[in-house]
Amino acid sequence: MLDFCFTIPYGLLLVVGGVIGYAKKGSIASLAGGAGTGLLLVLAGFLSLQAYHKRKNSYFALILETAIAALLTWVMTQRYLQTSKIMPAGMVAGISFLMTGFYLYKIANGGNHIPPKSD
């Protein structure tokens, strides 16, 4: 399980959610929060992918992914507790909680597994 395989779709999901929130309700906060964090996650996923192609781990990307997912878990859990709305707060909090756990697992296990070089 490589982090960028989950991070890039997760980031894109947040970008789309932010854009939809802006389109439906005119929410600048939704656009900035969703699209902003989503784009940062896509960037971190891309950095991790590039490092993997160089047969390395990008701990910067992994720490950035973890920090964003943990922040989103906290913020969206607070919003869910205030509004009791599953969409989007509860859903984003749940997905972000799972992603935070995944990233912590990757950190604890030394990042992405780099397969041995084949000749």
Side-chain angles (χ1 to χ4, degrees):
M1 295 187 309
L2 304 169
D3 67 306
F4 53 83
C5 293
F6 293 100
T7 300
I8 294 171
Y10 172 46
L12 292 174
L13 181 70
L14 291 170
V15 169
V16 169
V19 170
I20 289 172
Y22 177 74
K24 287 179 101 175
K25 305 245 182 196
S27 172
I28 300 292
S30 180
L31 181 63
T37 57
L39 288 173
L40 280 173
L41 282 165
V42 170
L43 174 64
F46 181 74
L47 290 173
S48 181
L49 175 62
Q50 293 304 311
Y52 184 77
H53 284 306
K54 294 177 184 174
R55 307 186 60 73
K56 298 179 180 180
N57 273 300
S58 175
Y59 293 105
F60 171 76
L62 193 52
I63 290 168
L64 180 61
E65 294 161 355
T66 307
I68 292 169
L71 177 67
L72 281 171
T73 300
W74 173 257
V75 169
M76 295 310 274
T77 298
Q78 297 304 310
R79 179 153 310 145
Y80 173 73
L81 292 173
Q82 291 172 351
T83 65
S84 298
K85 291 185 179 180
I86 296 292
M87 283 300 289
M91 188 69 75
V92 173
I95 292 169
S96 297
F97 177 76
L98 293 174
M99 292 303 293
T100 301
F102 172 70
Y103 295 136
L104 290 172
Y105 169 81
K106 294 304 285 183
I107 290 170
N109 287 294
N112 291 323
H113 172 72
I114 308 294
K117 200 172 197 177
S118 61
D119 293 327

